[in-house]
Amino acid sequence: MSDQEYDLKGREIIVVGGGGYIGAHVCKMIAENGGTPIVFDNFQAGHKHAVKWGPYVTVDLRDRAATLAAFQQHKDVETVVHLASSIEVGEGEKQPEGFYENNVSGALNILMAMRQTQADNLIFSSTCATYGETQNMPLLETEVQNPFSVYGKTKLAIEHMIQSYHKAYDLNYVTFRYFNASGADASGDIGEEHDPETHLIPNALKAAAGRGNRMKLFGTDYDTPDGTCVRDYIHVNDIALAHIHAIRAMDEGLSQAEVNLGTGEGYSVLQIIKAIEEVTGLPVPYDVGPRREGDLTQLFANAARAEEILGFTPQHSSLENIIQTAWNFHKTKWGI
Ligand code: UDP
């Protein structure tokens, strides 16, 4: 399937967190496949300027009544994509209360509202951080889930709530365990713009462009070939595309699945820096610092289940394309 092969036939789909990095790409792909994304967002981390393909409702998920009211405004919608969450791993360690409230209570409020409005299909963005420290790479969905970070713990709690709703109330769901979302849409219009930015690729691009500080490399003493952490980087448009496959699979009767979203390829921090230097033609100035709290040594996916169950394989996730599209987005944003 190319990016535009499943006809959503004008269907409305609620995208919670549609003003965020991944949410905006999901919305664009829904629109490109003939659907209308309805964005629910509190715009604390998301951006109104990234909502371009349908209407939005400003709503804070922690407010149960307001969340229900937002769903009731769109009560004919059957399919919900939930991507809103606190994501900064370090902040979760310091402020767990806010993380549990935003992520876990927020998700419960969505589930309650979906039940009341009979929206029966949910696609949820979970994370490979739910697996915890293990040497069993590539990671299978059946791996023990023992999250190390508060972030991972909140996502696992939500996975469990969704499973309970499936069992008790027949909710259909696909839970995606994202590996490292990266890259940007080829248009240069939407991309990664977190504040503060904590992710490797945008931080390394910033340092290469001389915008801000030198990059900090968090730890060179990991048990990996070059001592730096290994991650599986998947292009955000592949993540978006997988959501279209999930909608189709649920239309065809899929009622429950946990699915890794990665490429199966692991790259170390130093390999990413080298690839950025090759694509941009600029050196990445960096200093080696201590390990960052909450970071696992290596995480990369066994990506077979996404292909088996959803017929999905990544189309956009060569490292070169990831870095080139992220670089184009940042250059457009910075006017260089
Ligand atoms: N990283 C780094 N410097 C940064 C940001 C990230 O060395 O400024 C490292 C981080 O320790 C991890 C990898 O890059 O090993 C990917 O981190 P990122 O925050 O992008 O994604 P995560 O895997 O934490 O979701």
Side-chain angles (χ1 to χ4, degrees):
M1 185 168 106
S2 78
D3 285 2
Q4 292 97 20
E5 264 188 23
Y6 185 57
D7 188 359
L8 291 169
K9 300 189 177 82
R11 252 163 74 185
E12 294 187 331
I13 292 164
I14 291 172
V15 182
V16 186
Y21 167 47
I22 299 172
H25 289 81
V26 168
C27 287
K28 184 172 186 191
M29 202 154 296
I30 288 171
E32 283 175 351
N33 284 275
T36 302
I38 315 275
V39 169
F40 290 2
D41 205 301
N42 66 2
F43 297 108
Q44 281 182 5
H47 307 281
K48 281 190 186 155
H49 65 247
V51 180
K52 300 172 193 251
W53 298 277
Y56 67 82
V57 180
T58 303
V59 58
D60 193 311
L61 300 177
R62 292 168 293 193
D63 184 336
R64 181 171 299 167
T67 302
L68 178 58
F71 276 85
Q72 279 168 336
Q73 272 181 53
H74 296 279
K75 60 178 183 315
D76 296 333
V77 176
E78 290 165 358
T79 301
V80 177
V81 178
H82 175 32
L83 310 120
S85 124
S86 299
I87 57 162
E88 210 216 299
V89 175
E91 184 200 327
E93 303 306 307
K94 289 186 213 121
Q95 308 279 353
E97 189 172 72
F99 254 66
Y100 281 98
E101 190 184 23
N102 207 22
N103 295 0
V104 181
S105 299
L108 181 60
N109 289 340
I110 289 177
L111 287 169
M112 292 172 96
M114 285 181 69
R115 191 164 164 241
Q116 287 215 28
T117 57
Q118 292 171 321
D120 287 335
N121 299 329
L122 176 65
I123 303 172
F124 171 61
S125 57
S126 186
T127 168
C128 58
T130 58
Y131 291 118
E133 189 76 75
T134 167
Q135 296 305 317
N136 295 337
M137 297 294 146
L139 280 158
L140 280 163
E141 288 85 350
T142 47
E143 179 62 41
V144 174
Q145 288 177 290
N146 184 19
F148 186 54
S149 61
V150 169
Y151 169 65
K153 288 179 205 289
T154 63
K155 290 286 186 176
L156 183 58
I158 301 165
E159 286 198 18
H160 289 159
M161 292 192 317
I162 292 171
Q163 286 160 3
S164 303
Y165 265 68
H166 169 75
K167 206 167 157 203
Y169 310 125
D170 295 326
L171 176 76
N172 305 312
Y173 73 87
V174 173
T175 285
F176 280 126
R177 297 189 186 134
Y178 296 173
F179 285 66
N180 288 54
S182 47
D185 188 57
S187 65
D189 265 9
I190 46 175
E192 198 165 6
E193 36 182 349
H194 299 115
D195 183 21
E197 186 52 77
T198 60
H199 293 106
L200 174 62
I201 293 175
N203 277 350
L205 290 174
K206 254 198 235 169
R211 305 231 147 204
N213 300 330
R214 293 163 66 81
M215 204 199 98
K216 275 210 183 68
L217 198 171
F218 300 130
T220 51
D221 59 347
Y222 286 96
D223 185 16
T224 59
D226 65 20
T228 64
C229 291
V230 170
R231 295 287 182 273
D232 181 336
Y233 295 85
I234 177 165
H235 196 285
V236 64
N237 272 344
D238 276 330
I239 292 183
L241 180 59
H243 286 68
I244 306 297
H245 282 258
I247 294 169
R248 181 178 65 178
M250 283 199 277
D251 287 351
E252 291 169 356
L254 179 69
S255 64
Q256 170 184 37
E258 279 78 15
V259 180
N260 285 338
L261 267 191
T263 65
E265 230 14 85
Y267 293 100
S268 74
V269 177
L270 284 172
Q271 284 176 310
I272 297 291
I273 289 175
K274 186 159 169 276
I276 287 177
E277 293 183 333
E278 277 167 17
V279 169
T280 63
L282 297 167
V284 176
Y286 67 87
D287 299 310
V288 173
R291 292 181 179 200
R292 182 173 68 176
E293 210 179 325
D295 275 343
L296 296 164
T297 305
Q298 54 170 347
L299 290 165
F300 54 94
N302 180 313
R305 188 182 280 185
E307 186 168 4
E308 276 159 30
I309 298 187
L310 306 176
F312 166 77
T313 49
Q315 312 287 317
H316 306 278
S317 293
S318 70
L319 197 51
E320 193 194 348
N321 188 51
I322 285 174
I323 292 169
Q324 189 66 61
T325 54
W327 181 229
N328 290 349
F329 169 72
H330 282 92
K331 281 198 297 189
T332 307
K333 197 174 79 177
W334 296 328
I336 59 172

